[in-house]
Amino acid sequence: FTLISFSPRMIPPTSKTFLVNNLAAGTVYDLCVLAIYDDGITSLTATRVVGCTQFTTEQDYVRCHFMQSQFLGGTMIIIIGGIIVASVLVFIIILMIRYKVCNNNGQQKATKVSNVYSQTNGA
């Protein structure tokens, strides 16, 4: 059981047909038509059920067609994501190389000095 929810429309009294749009495929609906009139006794607006019917919409079979917009959207997301991931990986590799070169594996080599001569003031 599914309730049709749409904005109510006034159907002229002379019309015997109307159209309901945007229904889900393969769904059972109960549709009731109400008459709205002024109640002469209470001076209020009253409603009366004119008729009800139950109907089923046809199954919507998936057609084999190429959905270009979804394909392009998914492809763009994958490409942009790949560029971002590649950029981050390159940045991390550059930082690792820079750290390794600048710190020399955490060891500082002592400078070797040979043939050292001292200059004195003669005293």
Side-chain angles (χ1 to χ4, degrees), residues 12 15 23 27 29 39 45-47 49 58 77 84 90 98 105 110:
S15 176
L23 300 176
T27 306
Y29 288 97
D39 186 9
T45 302
T47 58
V49 176
E58 293 180 10
I77 289 173
I84 292 171
V90 167
R98 184 176 171 196
N105 292 332

mmCIF file of all heavy atoms in Angstrom, residues 12 15 23 27 29 39 45-47 49 58 77 84 90 98 105 110:
data_model
loop_
_atom_site.group_PDB
_atom_site.id
_atom_site.type_symbol
_atom_site.label_atom_id
_atom_site.label_comp_id
_atom_site.label_asym_id
_atom_site.label_seq_id
_atom_site.Cartn_x
_atom_site.Cartn_y
_atom_site.Cartn_z
ATOM 1 N N PRO A 12 -11.915 20.399 -12.940
ATOM 2 C CA PRO A 12 -13.221 20.993 -13.231
ATOM 3 C C PRO A 12 -14.314 19.919 -13.257
ATOM 4 O O PRO A 12 -14.054 18.776 -13.610
ATOM 5 C CB PRO A 12 -13.045 21.624 -14.618
ATOM 6 C CG PRO A 12 -11.624 21.467 -14.982
ATOM 7 C CD PRO A 12 -10.950 20.596 -13.993
ATOM 8 N N SER A 15 -14.610 17.699 -16.347
ATOM 9 C CA SER A 15 -13.535 16.788 -16.726
ATOM 10 C C SER A 15 -13.768 15.418 -16.108
ATOM 11 O O SER A 15 -14.113 15.295 -14.943
ATOM 12 C CB SER A 15 -12.195 17.351 -16.263
ATOM 13 O OG SER A 15 -11.168 16.436 -16.542
ATOM 14 N N LEU A 23 5.299 8.748 -10.621
ATOM 15 C CA LEU A 23 5.013 7.564 -9.812
ATOM 16 C C LEU A 23 6.173 6.590 -9.922
ATOM 17 O O LEU A 23 6.868 6.535 -10.935
ATOM 18 C CB LEU A 23 3.715 6.896 -10.286
ATOM 19 C CG LEU A 23 2.457 7.761 -10.211
ATOM 20 C CD1 LEU A 23 1.274 7.007 -10.789
ATOM 21 C CD2 LEU A 23 2.169 8.175 -8.781
ATOM 22 N N THR A 27 4.832 -0.299 -8.549
ATOM 23 C CA THR A 27 4.270 -0.015 -7.228
ATOM 24 C C THR A 27 2.746 -0.030 -7.302
ATOM 25 O O THR A 27 2.159 0.394 -8.281
ATOM 26 C CB THR A 27 4.742 1.364 -6.734
ATOM 27 O OG1 THR A 27 6.170 1.398 -6.801
ATOM 28 C CG2 THR A 27 4.314 1.624 -5.311
ATOM 29 N N TYR A 29 -0.750 1.416 -6.067
ATOM 30 C CA TYR A 29 -1.269 2.667 -5.524
ATOM 31 C C TYR A 29 -2.774 2.553 -5.286
ATOM 32 O O TYR A 29 -3.475 1.866 -6.033
ATOM 33 C CB TYR A 29 -1.024 3.825 -6.501
ATOM 34 C CG TYR A 29 0.417 4.248 -6.606
ATOM 35 C CD1 TYR A 29 1.229 3.779 -7.631
ATOM 36 C CD2 TYR A 29 0.966 5.117 -5.680
ATOM 37 C CE1 TYR A 29 2.541 4.171 -7.736
ATOM 38 C CE2 TYR A 29 2.279 5.522 -5.778
ATOM 39 C CZ TYR A 29 3.065 5.038 -6.810
ATOM 40 O OH TYR A 29 4.361 5.430 -6.897
ATOM 41 N N ASP A 39 -21.103 22.945 2.671
ATOM 42 C CA ASP A 39 -22.217 22.307 3.374
ATOM 43 C C ASP A 39 -23.230 23.392 3.739
ATOM 44 O O ASP A 39 -22.911 24.338 4.457
ATOM 45 C CB ASP A 39 -21.685 21.593 4.617
ATOM 46 C CG ASP A 39 -22.754 20.778 5.319
ATOM 47 O OD1 ASP A 39 -23.855 20.634 4.758
ATOM 48 O OD2 ASP A 39 -22.469 20.277 6.416
ATOM 49 N N THR A 45 -16.860 24.067 4.642
ATOM 50 C CA THR A 45 -16.468 23.279 3.474
ATOM 51 C C THR A 45 -16.438 21.813 3.872
ATOM 52 O O THR A 45 -15.862 21.439 4.891
ATOM 53 C CB THR A 45 -15.083 23.720 2.975
ATOM 54 O OG1 THR A 45 -15.133 25.116 2.670
ATOM 55 C CG2 THR A 45 -14.673 22.954 1.745
ATOM 56 N N ALA A 46 -17.062 20.982 3.057
ATOM 57 C CA ALA A 46 -17.122 19.551 3.347
ATOM 58 C C ALA A 46 -16.498 18.786 2.191
ATOM 59 O O ALA A 46 -16.338 19.305 1.083
ATOM 60 C CB ALA A 46 -18.565 19.124 3.555
ATOM 61 N N THR A 47 -16.115 17.544 2.456
ATOM 62 C CA THR A 47 -15.572 16.666 1.410
ATOM 63 C C THR A 47 -16.379 15.387 1.382
ATOM 64 O O THR A 47 -16.934 14.951 2.393
ATOM 65 C CB THR A 47 -14.089 16.336 1.670
ATOM 66 O OG1 THR A 47 -13.967 15.718 2.938
ATOM 67 C CG2 THR A 47 -13.218 17.559 1.608
ATOM 68 N N VAL A 49 -16.162 11.396 -0.660
ATOM 69 C CA VAL A 49 -15.413 10.506 -1.531
ATOM 70 C C VAL A 49 -16.247 10.231 -2.770
ATOM 71 O O VAL A 49 -17.369 9.739 -2.687
ATOM 72 C CB VAL A 49 -15.062 9.182 -0.813
ATOM 73 C CG1 VAL A 49 -14.370 8.225 -1.774
ATOM 74 C CG2 VAL A 49 -14.199 9.448 0.400
ATOM 75 N N GLU A 58 3.674 0.013 -14.281
ATOM 76 C CA GLU A 58 4.450 -1.007 -14.972
ATOM 77 C C GLU A 58 5.880 -1.053 -14.449
ATOM 78 O O GLU A 58 6.410 -0.059 -13.962
ATOM 79 C CB GLU A 58 4.464 -0.712 -16.471
ATOM 80 C CG GLU A 58 3.114 -0.847 -17.127
ATOM 81 C CD GLU A 58 3.184 -0.555 -18.616
ATOM 82 O OE1 GLU A 58 4.303 -0.443 -19.157
ATOM 83 O OE2 GLU A 58 2.116 -0.432 -19.218
ATOM 84 N N ILE A 77 36.362 12.111 -11.043
ATOM 85 C CA ILE A 77 36.661 11.922 -9.614
ATOM 86 C C ILE A 77 37.904 11.062 -9.452
ATOM 87 O O ILE A 77 38.787 11.359 -8.636
ATOM 88 C CB ILE A 77 35.452 11.299 -8.898
ATOM 89 C CG1 ILE A 77 34.326 12.330 -8.798
ATOM 90 C CG2 ILE A 77 35.831 10.790 -7.507
ATOM 91 C CD1 ILE A 77 33.026 11.782 -8.259
ATOM 92 N N ILE A 84 45.789 14.005 -6.728
ATOM 93 C CA ILE A 84 46.021 14.412 -5.333
ATOM 94 C C ILE A 84 46.906 13.392 -4.622
ATOM 95 O O ILE A 84 47.874 13.754 -3.934
ATOM 96 C CB ILE A 84 44.683 14.607 -4.603
ATOM 97 C CG1 ILE A 84 43.943 15.827 -5.170
ATOM 98 C CG2 ILE A 84 44.889 14.746 -3.099
ATOM 99 C CD1 ILE A 84 42.528 15.984 -4.668
ATOM 100 N N VAL A 90 54.656 12.268 -3.911
ATOM 101 C CA VAL A 90 55.871 12.956 -4.362
ATOM 102 C C VAL A 90 56.382 13.898 -3.278
ATOM 103 O O VAL A 90 57.584 13.965 -3.000
ATOM 104 C CB VAL A 90 55.610 13.714 -5.686
ATOM 105 C CG1 VAL A 90 56.738 14.681 -6.006
ATOM 106 C CG2 VAL A 90 55.400 12.729 -6.825
ATOM 107 N N ARG A 98 65.223 14.841 1.384
ATOM 108 C CA ARG A 98 65.814 16.043 1.980
ATOM 109 C C ARG A 98 66.280 15.777 3.411
ATOM 110 O O ARG A 98 67.369 16.198 3.808
ATOM 111 C CB ARG A 98 64.790 17.167 1.950
ATOM 112 C CG ARG A 98 65.318 18.464 2.449
ATOM 113 C CD ARG A 98 64.281 19.532 2.300
ATOM 114 N NE ARG A 98 64.719 20.733 2.985
ATOM 115 C CZ ARG A 98 63.957 21.734 3.298
ATOM 116 N NH1 ARG A 98 62.694 21.698 2.976
ATOM 117 N NH2 ARG A 98 64.428 22.784 3.913
ATOM 118 N N ASN A 105 72.041 10.650 7.921
ATOM 119 C CA ASN A 105 71.709 9.513 8.777
ATOM 120 C C ASN A 105 71.981 9.799 10.241
ATOM 121 O O ASN A 105 72.279 8.903 11.015
ATOM 122 C CB ASN A 105 72.448 8.246 8.339
ATOM 123 C CG ASN A 105 71.952 7.753 7.004
ATOM 124 O OD1 ASN A 105 70.805 7.992 6.653
ATOM 125 N ND2 ASN A 105 72.809 7.081 6.265
ATOM 126 N N ALA A 110 83.682 14.012 11.638
ATOM 127 C CA ALA A 110 84.691 14.964 12.102
ATOM 128 C C ALA A 110 85.622 15.302 10.937
ATOM 129 O O ALA A 110 85.950 14.459 10.123
ATOM 130 C CB ALA A 110 85.497 14.364 13.253
#
